[in-house]
Amino acid sequence: MKEERILYLECYSGISGDMTVGALLDLGIDCDKVKRALDSLGVEGYHLHFGRQKKCGIDAFDFDVHLEDGQAAGQDHGDCGHDHDHDHSHGHGHTHDHSHDHAHGHVHRNLFDILQIIERLQAPERAKELARQMFQIVAEAESKAHGLPVEEVHFHEVGAVDSIVDIVATAVCVDLLDVDKVIVSPLHEGRGYVTCQHGTMPVPVPATANIVAAHHLQMILTDNQGEMVTPTGAAIAAALHCGEELPEGYRIEKIGLGAGKKDFANANILRAMLLVATAAERRMVKLETNLDDCTGEAMGFAMELLLEAGAADVWYQPIFMKKNRPAYMLSVLCGEDQIEDMEDIIFRHTTTIGIRRYPVERTVLPREIRDVETPWGMAQVKVCQRKEGEAVYPEYRCVSEICRKEGLPFGEVYRALMNCFQEKKK
């Protein structure tokens, strides 16, 4: 089974756009790739800063967007829900575009304008879709906060140049990491109030609170004074979080730290970790049900669907039930996150009305699939690691295809693939 790669965002100091980009870049992503992607947007009037700073003695990546007029993005222009309330004395407010536009005659940006900019992004479609999703989340939150239709919302927090950069850079970084899922910890938020052009607002500000509520994010209040979770940060968490908890066991491949700008009693950083959960580390579940009135065709079809849906194993055992009826017990081995899908298949395609469930543990050897050159073309073998060395097993599918095509005995082809693998190692 393929190892599962997880991106984990640990938000014990909250989350904002610049902290997220900094943490992801600190995982080793090429800054030039991100910069080239941002350049493709055609947005002008800013330059990027990549550096490092210490927060409570911890070295972290410092990512900033600076406007060309000489002030850093995010200085307080009097709006609400600024990212600078979280972590910028100078570097992250998503308000400057609103007031900045007043001063320079620029057109305010609504969601349509933002989506047009994202469309120019030279990056895979999944990066563009993730960026669109993040802006959509904020637009809906602002719509609710201000009582306006989504299409009439002009972005105070995320219409700014630095906000476009933060969200698009986050989407590009996540795409480059190519992980299977993203897990986000509960969002730690501060207390108190922020002052903006609408007056004094409690923390979390309305847009952030709306995102947390709409997307069922967990929030934990701390004793820190001030905003720790920004609307942009909340939107990133909502768009990325898969809704799952960390696996019980995993190994850490890389750690990235993104620095905030404010100073709290705790280190104001966002920690991003690349984790690998192998099949051996996944909590498994065994599903069971007894079938005494189900046809063999239906049971065979259900088995096919369960395996196609990702069950680790499926099998039937002959049993006797009440009234001495001959029957079969269906057993399915799957991950905890697959229970609902597996049970749906069993209920829909068999006659059962009840399914038993047991937690199970198993030991699984690390394994990988390798290509080998054979007289009949490329084939694959499964290589498992044992204490005493490797164990090699030709893939059944490859052996059977060669047998059918060439008219050869199974054992002969199986041994040939083993020999080809050994020759390749020499």
Side-chain angles (χ1 to χ4, degrees):
M1 186 177 291
K2 176 182 176 290
E3 290 187 329
E4 189 176 52
R5 299 180 74 249
I6 301 169
L7 171 63
Y8 177 54
L9 299 180
E10 188 179 63
C11 308
Y12 79 96
S13 268
I15 183 171
S16 68
D18 68 313
M19 292 175 77
T20 305
V21 178
L24 298 180
L25 290 174
D26 203 33
L27 288 172
I29 291 176
D30 188 344
C31 294
D32 287 337
K33 287 185 178 180
V34 176
K35 188 176 183 302
R36 284 196 296 271
L38 292 171
D39 288 344
S40 70
L41 296 173
V43 175
E44 299 179 348
Y46 75 95
H47 65 271
L48 302 177
H49 168 76
F50 305 101
R52 306 199 70 84
Q53 65 166 294
K54 286 183 167 54
K55 309 300 292 186
C56 293
I58 304 298
D59 182 63
F61 197 107
D62 181 27
F63 174 78
D64 267 322
V65 184
H66 292 273
L67 301 183
E68 296 296 347
D69 60 7
Q71 73 181 1
Q75 284 187 322
D76 192 351
H77 293 277
D79 209 348
C80 251
H82 326 132
D83 272 18
H84 76 270
D85 284 328
H86 165 60
D87 57 15
H88 282 69
S89 58
H90 63 278
H92 194 74
H94 287 325
T95 65
H96 77 274
D97 198 48
H98 184 62
S99 300
H100 194 73
D101 288 347
H102 280 301
H104 294 75
H106 296 171
V107 178
H108 293 207
R109 292 188 174 100
N110 58 24
L111 182 60
F112 178 79
D113 299 325
I114 299 291
L115 297 181
Q116 290 293 100
I117 292 172
I118 293 174
E119 196 58 38
R120 299 197 292 263
L121 177 64
Q122 292 180 13
E125 178 59 31
R126 64 179 180 178
K128 296 166 72 170
E129 179 55 34
L130 183 56
R132 287 192 286 260
Q133 185 181 355
M134 292 175 188
F135 276 107
Q136 182 71 36
I137 288 170
V138 180
E140 291 171 357
E142 292 289 354
S143 168
K144 182 176 179 63
H146 297 291
L148 294 171
V150 171
E151 60 271 15
E152 293 183 19
V153 171
H154 288 91
F155 289 96
H156 304 303
E157 290 84 7
V158 301
V161 170
D162 62 314
S163 307
I164 295 171
V165 171
D166 284 342
I167 284 181
V168 171
T170 296
V172 170
C173 287
V174 171
D175 177 70
L176 288 171
L177 287 172
D178 193 27
V179 294
D180 296 301
K181 65 176 64 170
V182 182
I183 297 177
V184 182
S185 78
L187 311 182
H188 287 60
E189 176 64 296
R191 298 175 183 268
Y193 301 87
V194 294
T195 301
C196 59
Q197 69 176 25
H198 302 298
T200 300
M201 295 286 181
V203 175
V205 297
T208 298
N210 288 341
I211 293 170
V212 169
H215 297 272
H216 310 291
L217 300 175
Q218 294 185 57
M219 180 169 276
I220 297 175
L221 293 181
T222 71
D223 291 331
N224 292 325
Q225 291 296 311
E227 184 183 41
M228 298 172 67
V229 179
T230 66
T232 301
I236 290 170
L240 293 179
H241 187 39
C242 65
E244 298 180 22
E245 296 182 356
L246 284 174
E248 281 193 336
Y250 54 81
R251 68 174 187 269
I252 301 174
E253 275 196 344
K254 292 181 181 178
I255 298 175
L257 303 177
K261 302 301 181 291
K262 281 187 175 180
D263 291 318
F264 301 122
N266 56 284
N268 187 19
I269 56 175
L270 175 71
R271 182 160 67 174
M273 293 190 284
L274 273 182
L275 312 176
V276 174
T278 64
E281 293 159 344
R282 291 182 68 200
R283 286 186 291 185
M284 304 297 288
V285 174
K286 183 181 180 183
L287 305 178
E288 283 184 357
T289 189
N290 296 348
L291 303 167
D292 65 354
D293 57 351
C294 192
T295 68
E297 292 91 341
M299 289 191 293
F301 184 60
M303 186 177 196
E304 290 178 13
L305 293 179
L306 290 163
L307 290 169
E308 289 173 5
D313 207 351
V314 181
W315 67 96
Y316 289 100
Q317 293 174 271
I319 57 174
F320 281 92
M321 292 175 60
K322 57 189 176 184
K323 300 181 182 179
N324 292 323
R325 294 175 183 167
Y328 288 92
M329 180 169 67
L330 166 63
S331 298
V332 180
L333 192 64
C334 65
E336 286 188 329
D337 57 326
Q338 298 173 299
I339 292 174
E340 184 177 351
D341 291 341
M342 298 298 160
E343 289 186 339
D344 285 346
I345 292 172
I346 296 170
F347 280 126
R348 183 171 186 179
H349 296 285
T350 75
T351 54
T352 190
I353 58 173
I355 301 171
R356 302 180 294 278
R357 183 188 309 165
Y358 313 98
V360 296
E361 295 182 359
R362 63 175 186 164
T363 301
V364 180
L365 295 175
R367 82 283 296 274
E368 62 178 315
I369 302 298
R370 298 185 193 173
D371 293 326
V372 294
E373 183 69 44
T374 78
W376 309 288
M378 295 299 294
Q380 294 181 322
V381 298
K382 183 184 300 177
V383 182
C384 300
Q385 302 298 326
R386 295 175 175 169
K387 290 181 180 179
E388 64 273 17
E390 294 180 337
V392 181
Y393 306 97
E395 284 287 276
Y396 168 80
R397 174 183 54 81
C398 296
V399 177
S400 63
E401 287 177 358
I402 294 172
C403 289
R404 293 177 187 277
K405 184 178 179 180
E406 303 295 335
L408 297 172
F410 188 92
E412 180 180 332
V413 175
Y414 190 95
R415 290 189 295 272
L417 264 62
M418 291 282 288
N419 292 335
C420 290
F421 176 78
Q422 296 301 333
E423 287 295 324
K424 181 181 177 181
K425 288 182 62 179
K426 292 180 180 179

